Amino acid sequence: MTRPPTAAQRRVIDAADPVTGRLRGTEAQLAALVGRGLAFRHPRPPHDHFLTPAGHRLREAEPEAEPAAAVAAPRAETGVFTARVGGEEEPPYGGPSRVREVHSAWQGLLELRRMTNPDGAVDRPCGWERTHLVQAAALALEAAGHRPAGGDSDGPDADRPGTDGYRVRATPQPDAVAVRGPDDGTLRACAATLEKAGWHASEHTDPRSRTRYLLASPRRV
């Protein structure tokens, strides 16, 4: 790409679905983005347009410069959705807007499964989820209405159960995450949600703290 996208094309890019990269715009705008290598047209009906890796990089990059009036206008910090893993020091703002964002992200992930799983299955995790295990498992839990643990540090207490909700953490196993909660009931509810979302979940006991936790991994064919 030799020239930056126009303001209208940039708005289309910025408005792309944060998970799938699906685009909405006029035929001319979408065709122009395809020509610049920032988007592609999916071969399956309904032939929607999606960001390419270059398009995603451009969307996530900070603008080089903005007019003073634009800088002064309030806007989202990043515009990129992140699922609650539990225990964040600065959790995202909650309320109805967060519920809508989570629902949209989950629906986008189901569509990503449909597009990228070879058999079009939506009941089984896709490649993106297998490379973003913590975020994928956390999104499944948050979308189902589970409460994430409150804002405390991720340091020495990272392996301890949250006092008011779930925590999702990476493990030494490359294909599994640990899910911790304040009680057995929370763990069982989280396990049921993850199983329904296409994950295997089993309960284990931490040898150091003797607390119970889930070990969850994406189900394969």
Side-chain angles (χ1 to χ4, degrees), residues 125-214:
C126 62
W128 181 89
E129 292 170 271
R130 299 179 194 282
T131 58
H132 298 78
L133 294 174
V134 172
Q135 280 293 315
L139 177 55
L141 293 174
E142 190 176 2
H146 294 278
R147 182 198 299 269
D152 42 24
S153 69
D154 210 19
D157 294 334
D159 290 337
R160 292 167 57 184
T163 57
D164 58 349
Y166 68 79
R167 293 170 179 264
V168 183
R169 297 293 185 267
T171 72
Q173 300 184 38
D175 61 346
V177 295
V179 180
R180 302 175 187 273
D183 51 53
D184 290 343
T186 298
L187 289 181
R188 285 193 294 269
C190 288
T193 291
L194 290 170
E195 291 280 356
K196 185 178 179 180
W199 295 63
H200 288 298
S202 55
E203 288 194 34
H204 301 267
T205 300
D206 189 295
R208 295 176 299 169
S209 64
R210 307 307 300 172
T211 58
R212 300 287 287 171
Y213 69 97
L214 297 177

Side-chain angles (χ1 to χ4, degrees), residues 24-70:
R24 290 287 184 267
T26 67
E27 287 298 325
Q29 289 171 334
L30 296 174
L33 292 175
V34 170
R36 292 170 179 265
L38 300 174
F40 69 94
R41 184 173 183 265
H42 200 278
R44 295 182 189 172
H47 303 297
D48 286 330
H49 288 73
F50 298 84
L51 290 176
T52 61
H56 278 288
R57 288 194 297 271
L58 180 63
R59 181 180 185 273
E60 295 168 5
E62 289 293 329
E64 292 183 1
E66 294 182 280

Side-chain angles (χ1 to χ4, degrees), residues 70-151:
V71 173
R75 62 181 190 174
E77 288 184 340
T78 63
V80 178
F81 174 85
T82 303
R84 290 287 310 275
V85 301
E88 293 92 343
E89 292 185 10
E90 297 183 6
Y93 177 75
S97 62
R98 177 65 184 181
V99 173
R100 290 192 297 270
E101 288 179 357
V102 172
H103 175 75
S104 176
W106 177 248
Q107 293 303 312
L109 185 57
L110 293 180
E111 179 64 10
L112 189 62
R113 290 181 177 186
R114 185 187 72 81
M115 292 188 305
T116 59
N117 279 334
D119 55 358
V122 298
D123 61 349
R124 188 177 68 253
C126 62
W128 181 89
E129 292 170 271
R130 299 179 194 282
T131 58
H132 298 78
L133 294 174
V134 172
Q135 280 293 315
L139 177 55
L141 293 174
E142 190 176 2
H146 294 278
R147 182 198 299 269

